[in-house]
């Protein structure tokens, strides 16, 4: 039987169990949710003002070199403004929101001879515009959303109906047939909502066909997806299966597609898919619950790697009703975070070692804390949120906004303030401390944290 002994020393809390000594953890001030929400809001403004000062009119800012960054130069898609607007509205930053709305409506146009990544433009731009339309009631946002949605449709003209990765916004020319489940399966919420809002079913039907065709190609024995597939032949190009980048948000979207549209096919895809994941990818041992990498054909484990992208899964498990696995996996994520005071991109959970030491300002672990707190009201998730927020501020804040880390071990800084820092990372932290800023039951967040309301 485990006996716990708790000793409070001035400024420190020592918790030991017989036979195991845990690390000394600094005692913390009582958690003040309103004060934390206010601090998150101030840090969001710090990041936004750096973007405005150094990169206004561009996609993102490089905060160390103090230069702008555009994804598809010379075109600009206003990634940061579009990604940030609904966060500003939720935070009650009225002046910033009004100016950002005016800037987007005056400057954003999709008539550009550039080849763009369908997935990224869908989750950031199309998702952001749909949220902006629903939150402001401004019809020009819907016009822009429909314009970009229509320009992406040629990507789906393949023998399988699964889209190319890139499409030219002006000419419709496509490229990069080797795609992956995340890029094929993370379009349904935005395209589906666009159909509902414009009453034109083409977007819903096109994204759904891609999702169905992808799902049909799951391994018939294991039920797993690989991480690479050729959209022209339907053949898998990589049979590595996991819940990280290139596959992750497929699972998120089949669940959310059922929640947002009541689509029963998506519900079946979710239940079958997550059952296969729990069976073949979950790694439940003395070191806790993790999800690793297996071969989709055999289910055999080929790597014991988790990471900052995988940290979305506790939230999605909780959203799907599996609070037990969700809570255990989030505890594992916290352990990964605590090793260096901030989480790595990839982590070998058997060796307890960062295998890719970067930190990209990712939000997934905060998002999971937010969703778990919503369902459980367990204050431990508020404490986790405080840990994540403080680590972010301590290691990634710069004079000019926030930057990535090249290494969570050495804390060497990178040079990019990704737009999802403003769309997601600060939004989920804010909502964790101030949940009434949004009605959780009335919206479904897309994978870039843009809330979509079921108005149909
Ligand atoms: C975001 O663009 C989205 O959350 C996507 O699903 C994964 N990558 C980033 C954040 O990490």
């Amino acid at each position: 039987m485990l006996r716990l002994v708790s000793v409070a020393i001035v400024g420190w809390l020592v918790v030991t169990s017989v036979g195991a000594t845990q690390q000394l953890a600094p005692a913390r001030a009582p958690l003040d949710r309103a004060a934390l929400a206010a601090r998150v809001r101030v840090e969001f403004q710090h990041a936004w003002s750096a973007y405005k000062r150094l990169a206004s009119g561009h996609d993102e800012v490089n905060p160390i070199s103090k230069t702008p960054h555009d994804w598809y130069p010379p075109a600009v898609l206003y990634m940061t403004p579009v990604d940030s607007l609904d966060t500003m509205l939720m935070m009650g930053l009225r002046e910033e929101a009004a100016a950002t709305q005016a800037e987007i409506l005056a400057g954003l146009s999709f008539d550009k001879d550039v080849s763009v990544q369908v997935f990224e433009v869908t989750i950031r731009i199309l998702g952001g515009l749909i949220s902006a339309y629903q939150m402001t009631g401004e019809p020009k946002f819907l016009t822009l959303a429909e314009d970009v949605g229509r320009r992406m449709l040629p990507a789906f003209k393949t023998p399988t109906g699964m889209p190319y990765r890139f499409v030219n916004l002006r000419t419709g020319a496509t490229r990069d047939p080797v795609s992956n489940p995340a890029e094929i399966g993370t379009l349904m919420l935005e395209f589906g909502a666009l159909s509902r809002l414009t009453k034109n079913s083409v977007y819903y039907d096109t994204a759904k066909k891609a999702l169905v065709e992808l799902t049909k190609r799951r391994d018939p024995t294991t039920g797993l997806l690989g991480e690479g597939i050729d959209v022209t032949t339907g053949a898998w190009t990589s049979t590595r299966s996991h819940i990280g980048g290139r596959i992750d948000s497929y699972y998120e979207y089949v669940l959310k597609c059922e929640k947002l549209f009541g689509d029963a096919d998506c519900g079946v895809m979710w239940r079958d898919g997550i059952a296969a994941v729990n069976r073949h990818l979950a790694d439940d041992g003395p070191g806790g619950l993790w999800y690793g990498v297996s071969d989709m054909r055999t289910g055999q484990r080929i790597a014991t790697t988790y990471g900052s992208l995988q940290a979305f899964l506790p939230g999605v498990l909780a959203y799907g009703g599996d609070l037990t696995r969700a809570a255990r996996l989030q505890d594992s994520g916290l352990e990964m975070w605590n090793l260096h005071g901030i989480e790595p991109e990839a982590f070998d959970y058997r060796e307890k070692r960062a295998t890719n030491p970067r930190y990209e300002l990712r939000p997934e672990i905060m998002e999971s804390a937010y969703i778990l707190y919503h369902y459980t009201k367990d204050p431990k998730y508020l404490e986790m949120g405080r840990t994540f927020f403080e680590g972010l501020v301590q290691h990634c804040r710069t004079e000019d906004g926030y930057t990535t880390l090249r290494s969570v071990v050495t804390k060497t800084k990178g040079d990019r303030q990704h737009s999802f820092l403003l769309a997601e990372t600060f939004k989920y932290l804010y909502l964790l401390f101030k949940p009434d800023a949004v009605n959780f039951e009335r919206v479904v967040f897309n994978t870039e944290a843009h809330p979509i309301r079921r108005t149909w």
Side-chain angles (χ1 to χ4, degrees):
M1 199 181 78
L2 193 70
R3 265 192 306 127
L4 287 178
V5 185
S6 226
V7 186
I9 306 176
V10 191
W12 294 86
L13 180 69
V14 184
V15 181
T16 60
S17 62
V18 173
T21 307
Q22 295 186 354
Q23 269 188 332
L24 288 172
R28 302 176 110 184
L31 192 139
D32 179 341
R33 292 172 65 178
L36 276 162
R39 280 182 61 204
V40 173
R41 190 172 180 269
V42 166
E43 293 309 310
F44 173 92
Q45 287 175 293
H46 174 71
W48 173 252
S49 65
Y51 162 78
K52 287 302 285 177
R53 200 163 52 247
L54 300 170
S56 189
H58 292 273
D59 284 336
E60 291 175 327
V61 63
N62 298 322
I64 301 298
S65 57
K66 305 184 197 297
T67 53
H69 169 73
D70 290 320
W71 283 45
Y72 309 109
V76 173
L77 295 182
Y78 290 79
M79 291 280 183
T80 297
V82 175
D83 248 358
S84 304
L85 178 55
D86 55 25
T87 311
M88 292 171 181
L89 292 166
M90 282 181 201
M91 290 181 171
L93 295 167
R94 274 190 237 128
E95 273 175 34
E96 287 92 335
T100 304
Q101 170 165 341
E103 182 190 12
I104 294 168
L105 295 180
L108 185 56
S109 145
F110 299 111
D111 184 18
K112 306 247 155 72
D113 188 9
V114 284
S115 185
V116 304
Q117 198 177 347
V118 173
F119 163 76
E120 294 288 0
V121 169
T122 298
I123 66 171
R124 299 186 201 219
I125 303 290
L126 180 52
L129 291 170
I130 288 170
S131 280
Y133 168 64
Q134 291 192 314
M135 289 177 79
T136 64
E138 169 53 64
K140 287 182 192 145
F141 283 124
L142 184 58
T143 307
L144 280 167
E146 192 170 14
D147 187 31
V148 71
R150 190 176 41 77
R151 288 171 189 275
M152 287 193 283
L153 287 178
F156 296 82
K157 289 200 179 111
T158 61
T160 64
M162 295 188 283
Y164 282 95
R165 295 184 62 224
F166 283 82
V167 65
N168 184 298
L169 286 177
R170 183 174 291 161
T171 67
T174 49
R175 67 172 168 88
D176 286 36
V178 176
S179 192
N180 55 69
E183 295 193 45
I184 296 163
T186 314
L187 310 168
M188 193 62 224
L189 298 189
E190 300 80 358
F191 277 69
L194 188 58
S195 271
R196 295 292 188 257
L197 294 168
T198 60
K199 306 204 177 358
N200 178 352
S201 62
V202 67
Y203 307 106
Y204 192 105
D205 296 345
T206 304
K208 174 92 183 274
K209 177 163 171 39
L211 193 58
V212 168
E213 289 297 321
L214 171 67
T215 305
K216 267 188 359 203
R217 290 171 171 81
R218 286 192 304 217
D219 183 82
T221 309
T222 65
L224 293 173
L225 298 156
E227 70 166 15
I229 190 164
D230 186 326
V231 301
T232 60
T233 63
W236 290 101
T237 59
S238 166
T239 59
R240 280 171 67 86
S241 192
H242 50 78
I243 49 111
R246 300 200 193 131
I247 304 184
D248 46 7
S249 44
Y250 164 86
Y251 294 107
E252 176 184 351
Y253 268 37
V254 285
L255 172 63
K256 289 182 173 178
C257 161
E258 184 188 32
K259 298 241 186 215
L260 186 60
F261 305 117
D263 188 313
D265 299 334
C266 289
V268 173
M269 292 185 228
W270 158 249
R271 281 179 280 283
D272 291 350
I274 199 65
V277 163
N278 284 330
R279 180 153 191 197
H280 299 291
L281 302 182
D283 201 346
D284 196 354
L289 177 65
W290 299 89
Y291 284 67
V293 183
S294 297
D295 187 276
M296 70 177 276
R297 299 295 182 206
T298 61
Q300 290 298 307
R301 175 105 38 232
I302 51 181
T304 50
T305 320
Y306 195 74
S308 53
L309 282 166
Q310 284 86 339
F312 84 101
L313 192 62
V316 167
L317 285 168
Y319 203 42
D322 186 350
L323 286 174
T324 307
R325 281 195 186 86
R328 293 188 60 216
L329 188 59
Q330 183 71 357
D331 287 347
S332 299
L334 178 66
E335 183 191 339
M336 173 175 76
W337 181 284
N338 280 340
L339 194 65
H340 297 291
I342 195 148
E343 65 184 359
E345 185 75 358
F347 177 72
D348 188 316
Y349 54 77
R350 197 166 289 163
E351 296 175 1
K352 308 281 184 215
R353 177 177 70 84
T355 51
N356 177 346
R358 296 188 66 88
Y359 174 62
E360 295 288 341
L361 302 172
R362 294 200 189 281
E364 285 78 3
I365 201 163
M366 292 89 165
E367 174 184 3
S368 287
Y370 165 60
I371 299 172
L372 269 158
Y373 182 71
H374 173 80
Y375 287 115
T376 64
K377 298 292 177 286
D378 187 334
K380 87 179 199 185
Y381 297 113
L382 298 175
E383 279 299 344
M384 276 188 202
R386 172 157 69 166
T387 298
F388 303 149
F389 177 54
E390 286 175 350
L392 181 70
V393 174
Q394 185 183 348
H395 302 303
C396 301
R397 191 180 204 276
T398 74
E399 197 177 78
D400 294 296
Y402 277 74
T403 195
T404 55
L405 296 180
R406 281 204 203 120
S407 169
V408 297
V409 183
T410 62
K411 310 294 188 297
T412 317
K413 288 191 165 60
D415 189 18
R416 179 67 46 80
Q417 180 174 283
H418 293 294
S419 68
F420 54 71
L421 173 80
L422 294 111
E424 298 190 72
T425 311
F426 284 130
K427 183 185 287 152
Y428 283 126
L429 285 168
Y430 185 73
L431 291 177
L432 174 63
F433 301 126
K434 197 177 182 332
D436 61 353
V438 77
N439 186 339
F440 186 94
E441 305 301 340
R442 290 203 59 201
V443 302
V444 173
F445 289 96
N446 88 336
T447 196
E448 191 79 0
H450 297 303
I452 303 178
R453 206 158 22 99
R454 186 177 177 148
T455 55
W456 39 86

